[in-house]
Amino acid sequence: MYRYKSGIELLDKAMGGFDAGTNYLVLAPSMSSAEKLAIALSRPLSGEYSIILSTDERASEVIDYCKLTGSDKQFIGVIDAITKTSSPTVSDTQRLKFVASPTDLTGIGIKFSKMSEAIFEGSFSDDDSGLFPPPIRFCVSSVSTLLMYRNLGVMYQFLHVIIAKLKKMEAVGFFLLNNESYDEKTISLIKQLMTGVIEVKSEGGETYFRIIGILGIPPDWHKFRIEKGLVVMQQ
Amino acid sequence: MIHTGISGIDDMLEGGIPEGSRVLYSMEPGVDGQLFMASTLNAAISEGKRCLVIVPYASTQAFLHDISGMTGADPSAIAAGATFLDSTDRFRILKQAGTPGKALQIWQDEVKNRVESGSVDVIFAYLDLLYDDFGLEGAISILTQPVATGQPTVILEHLNLDGEPGLDKFSDHHKIDLLISISAGFRYIPFFNYFTLVHASWLPLRQRSVPFITADGRIIPYIPKIVVTGPSRSGKSTFISSASDCRESVDRSGVSDSPTTVAMDLGWIHWKSFDITLYGTPGEERFDPIIPQLVKNAMGVVLVIDATRPDQMERAKHLIRLSRADRLPLVVAANRTDLPDSLDEGAIRSGLELRSDVPVYFISSVRKADVRHVIESMVDCITRFTF
């Protein structure tokens, strides 16, 4: 089974990375670099693809940020749920797709399917690693914004469907959720859908994460920072 | 009549949708089915119907741009033929109302005023956000209020996250006259889309599913693979030749100097709005190892037998098993029944141990009308089959 390298040494050394078909909630307060952490985990390594659902940043901004990490943009697709609210006539390209607003779950689902199909058919980028199924990292940045626009029951069902598809595709998923904006019941419900949780906290100007739910990885806090889009562990 | 703008569906509905009906396009998540609503809207506008479009998830401009991108329609023509309640209206109403109860009342009043003042013929509504805001009963109540100008036709699109029970909610309680569910067959990714005509209140139709493709802004009912198999020299290649608008065959001269298929026959038909591809298998036993590959993803099997050759029944039975026709819609075409001493239906059914639902047709494979009749039956079986 394919394993997705995380760029986090302790995880990659112990487990070889994230298992194919697994999904993680990146649970973080605001201003904690969690968006950057989610993108860092979702960047495509050689032979991989990424699909990023962005509800807060424009597709162009997401691609620019991904390029900082050294990722090749031809392996990154963005579903942009924000640009059309201000530029309604923006058109889709092969790797950048636009939906009318973060409320448009129908559109989000269709664009996700179209991108996945293009990756599986080998028409997504000029180069193809030839791996089958093609390794895909999927990132939702963020579930918090989607929850602002759609009710919890609908979002739970929608994420359930997306996660089932990611499992079938043997992809890995990262779902960003702000733990300051939602009550424990909401967070618990979303957690039920996940394989594990990557929890982030800020203390004294430093940021820490811990990984919960992966056998063999103790849930200890680790200090980190994001440098050029990559996770850098600190002592 | 309101037309869906999708010729295969309009045909199945015997022309279209009676005015005043309630229609639901229910979409499974991730399935590219937005063209159903868009085609119906386009058809209504082009036929001069006055439309109200309720699109709470998008601005009118973004919606028109998307519809134009999907169908190639002129956005200004749609804008001219319709009035809109869009995402801006939704936020305005929610802000103005303060409570969900008041918001529901404002929605009801606004829709009623628009329908009566504009003499609206058809309401197109993207239901999901209204459903979120007011529940199913509330959302439906906005769209189905009695109006003085005559009841408009209501066309709804809905993202169905509940599967079958989600459909039942609509059909049981909300008098949906036409329910079409749009789904996909998945492996890793969707590998074929299909719509299911769940019910049409004005027609005695049984539930039926039809695969489709989208091309040039149109929905085309599509059957990607019907396999035609049968014993050697039963008339398969002639069957495909008679059935097809164009065909290719890989054959060579056999020991008797007459050609025999060594790989496959291929035929293409555009028939009654369907695009159909026929795959013919070789009949000789030495080619049996390739048949399981040829039948992969087939949607139905036509078994062609020579009705004058009872000795080939065992071989035909073996081909049914090899082509997995026991798990797929199967039609038997008994060829050469114009010759003397051909088998009757009872002998064929017992000889092949057929299920009772498998139709048997007596044909001459050189007669186009006979062969097309078999294809028609095959399509009918496929559209009724639960894959």
Side-chain angles (χ1 to χ4, degrees):
Chain A
M1 182 185 278
Y2 190 83
R3 283 179 195 272
Y4 292 84
K5 296 277 185 207
S6 66
I8 300 169
E9 196 179 344
L10 75 107
L11 177 66
D12 291 342
K13 262 192 174 170
M15 310 301 295
F18 298 109
D19 284 344
T22 56
N23 294 281
Y24 300 90
L25 187 64
V26 179
L27 193 58
S30 45
M31 317 290 279
S32 62
S33 307
E35 293 91 348
K36 290 178 179 172
L37 176 63
I39 299 283
L41 294 171
S42 309
R43 73 193 178 93
L45 301 186
S46 177
E48 296 179 349
Y49 299 84
S50 291
I51 301 174
I52 297 166
L53 166 59
S54 175
T55 58
D56 306 309
E57 306 280 342
R58 289 166 176 268
S60 54
E61 292 165 338
V62 174
I63 291 290
D64 284 347
Y65 182 75
C66 288
K67 282 199 283 191
L68 266 184
T69 67
S71 301
D72 186 340
K73 69 175 184 180
Q74 70 164 322
F75 298 105
I76 302 167
V78 182
I79 303 166
D80 175 331
I82 196 73
T83 298
K84 242 180 192 303
T85 56
S86 55
S87 307
T89 56
V90 65
S91 295
D92 287 354
T93 65
Q94 175 72 298
R95 295 189 286 271
L96 305 182
K97 310 260 183 226
F98 300 88
V99 295
S101 71
T103 63
D104 183 11
L105 299 184
T106 305
I108 290 171
I110 290 171
K111 308 285 172 165
F112 172 74
S113 288
K114 284 191 170 172
M115 278 197 187
S116 308
E117 283 174 55
I119 291 171
F120 271 74
E121 287 163 1
S123 60
F124 187 79
S125 59
D126 298 333
D127 300 314
D128 183 29
S129 66
L131 291 172
F132 194 87
I136 301 172
R137 297 175 189 242
F138 178 59
C139 176
V140 178
S141 176
S142 67
V143 175
S144 314
T145 307
L146 294 174
L147 276 168
M148 278 169 55
Y149 290 100
R150 298 301 297 262
N151 74 42
L152 178 60
V154 169
M155 274 317 301
Y156 178 86
Q157 286 178 301
F158 182 73
L159 291 176
H160 186 265
V161 170
I162 291 279
I163 283 169
K165 288 181 179 172
L166 291 173
K167 283 182 180 165
K168 268 189 182 171
M169 289 158 54
E170 300 183 20
V172 65
F174 301 97
F175 298 82
L176 183 61
L177 180 63
N178 186 321
N179 58 3
E180 288 174 332
S181 309
Y182 296 98
D183 58 22
E184 197 49 46
K185 187 183 154 201
T186 302
I187 293 169
S188 296
L189 198 64
I190 301 295
K191 272 184 187 172
Q192 283 179 27
L193 297 166
M194 305 291 162
T195 314
V197 177
I198 299 164
E199 197 174 348
V200 180
K201 69 175 181 179
S202 291
E203 268 179 16
E206 306 286 358
T207 48
Y208 300 80
F209 75 82
R210 63 175 176 171
I211 300 171
I212 302 163
I214 300 183
L215 272 176
I217 303 293
D220 302 328
W221 288 103
H222 305 279
K223 199 189 320 182
F224 78 103
R225 64 191 157 82
I226 300 291
E227 203 171 283
K228 290 185 178 171
L230 303 176
V231 181
V232 177
M233 306 299 291
Q234 294 185 289
Q235 294 305 313
Chain B
M1 277 285 189
I2 307 292
H3 295 103
T4 64
I6 304 158
S7 49
I9 296 183
D10 284 335
D11 290 346
M12 278 186 245
L13 298 177
E14 298 185 357
I17 303 156
E19 287 177 16
S21 302
R22 298 176 189 175
V23 177
L24 176 67
Y25 293 123
S26 174
M27 293 180 22
E28 198 178 89
V31 179
D32 190 6
Q34 289 179 307
L35 198 49
F36 284 79
M37 184 82 150
S39 295
T40 311
L41 173 60
N42 261 356
I45 297 276
S46 62
E47 288 164 11
K49 308 283 185 200
R50 288 151 301 186
C51 301
L52 167 63
V53 180
I54 302 175
V55 52
Y57 69 88
S59 66
T60 299
Q61 209 182 346
F63 173 76
L64 289 172
H65 182 258
D66 284 350
I67 290 281
S68 169
M70 264 186 265
T71 63
D74 175 6
S76 58
I78 298 172
T83 57
F84 295 85
L85 284 164
D86 68 2
S87 55
T88 315
D89 294 301
R90 176 172 174 256
F91 285 120
R92 171 180 56 77
I93 290 170
L94 288 173
K95 200 173 164 188
Q96 181 187 338
T99 66
K102 281 184 187 160
L104 179 60
Q105 188 59 54
I106 296 173
W107 267 108
Q108 287 170 336
D109 293 345
E110 292 221 5
V111 169
K112 189 169 184 175
N113 289 341
R114 296 274 186 119
V115 170
E116 288 182 342
S117 63
S119 296
V120 164
D121 301 306
V122 193
I123 301 175
F124 289 88
Y126 292 83
L127 193 65
D128 297 317
L129 285 176
L130 295 178
Y131 190 164
D132 275 18
D133 290 343
F134 308 115
L136 184 54
E137 302 288 336
I140 296 284
S141 75
I142 292 168
L143 307 163
T144 56
Q145 312 164 73
V147 286
T149 48
Q151 214 58 38
T153 306
V154 177
I155 317 271
L156 307 169
E157 184 192 285
H158 164 57
L159 178 66
N160 180 12
L161 294 162
D162 296 326
E164 291 253 338
L167 294 181
D168 295 342
K169 268 193 285 195
F170 285 95
S171 49
D172 290 351
H173 305 300
H174 295 288
K175 294 180 182 157
I176 297 294
D177 296 294
L178 172 64
L179 203 166
I180 294 179
S181 127
I182 302 147
S183 314
F186 274 87
R187 281 208 183 109
Y188 290 103
I189 51 168
F191 71 97
F192 76 98
N193 294 330
Y194 62 95
F195 64 84
T196 303
L197 217 157
V198 181
H199 84 261
S201 64
W202 65 97
L203 286 174
L205 274 179
R206 285 175 59 190
Q207 182 166 316
R208 51 179 56 203
S209 297
V210 181
F212 69 91
I213 51 173
T214 56
D216 303 327
R218 288 185 310 124
I219 287 165
I220 302 167
Y222 175 54
I223 297 182
K225 189 185 272 188
I226 292 173
V227 165
V228 179
T229 192
S232 181
R233 310 215 166 276
S234 55
K236 301 180 293 299
S237 296
T238 312
F239 180 96
I240 289 174
S241 177
S242 299
S244 305
D245 299 328
C246 63
R247 69 178 282 257
E248 289 289 340
S249 181
V250 184
D251 51 22
R252 54 182 277 193
S253 293
V255 284
S256 62
D257 271 348
S258 57
T260 185
T261 302
V262 296
M264 69 169 95
D265 289 314
L266 271 176
W268 293 273
I269 319 170
H270 185 75
W271 178 83
K272 288 195 177 179
S273 309
F274 281 82
D275 271 2
I276 301 170
T277 310
L278 300 176
Y279 286 66
T281 73
E284 292 186 20
E285 285 179 35
R286 62 197 168 106
F287 296 114
D288 280 3
I290 69 171
I291 291 180
Q293 302 305 316
L294 281 178
V295 300
K296 266 189 184 166
N297 298 329
M299 303 198 70
V301 176
V302 175
L303 176 74
V304 182
I305 58 166
D306 182 339
T308 65
R309 294 283 305 273
D311 58 303
Q312 286 192 334
M313 284 297 172
E314 277 309 310
R315 173 70 182 146
K317 263 165 60 180
H318 180 66
L319 286 166
I320 289 176
R321 287 192 295 273
L322 202 58
S323 59
R324 302 183 66 196
D326 49 339
R327 299 183 197 176
L328 290 170
L330 170 65
V331 174
V332 174
N335 189 23
R336 301 202 177 103
T337 47
D338 48 344
L339 298 179
D341 301 325
S342 58
L343 297 168
D344 64 17
E345 182 171 346
I348 291 169
R349 285 195 172 280
S350 62
L352 295 174
E353 297 172 6
L354 295 177
R355 305 187 304 253
S356 60
D357 63 328
V358 174
V360 177
Y361 293 97
F362 293 89
I363 67 160
S364 168
S365 62
V366 295
R367 280 204 295 263
K368 211 172 182 72
D370 286 9
V371 169
R372 287 289 174 106
H373 192 60
V374 174
I375 295 294
E376 183 171 356
S377 172
M378 181 83 264
V379 171
D380 194 54
C381 289
I382 289 171
T383 60
R384 289 164 194 273
F385 192 80
T386 309
F387 286 92

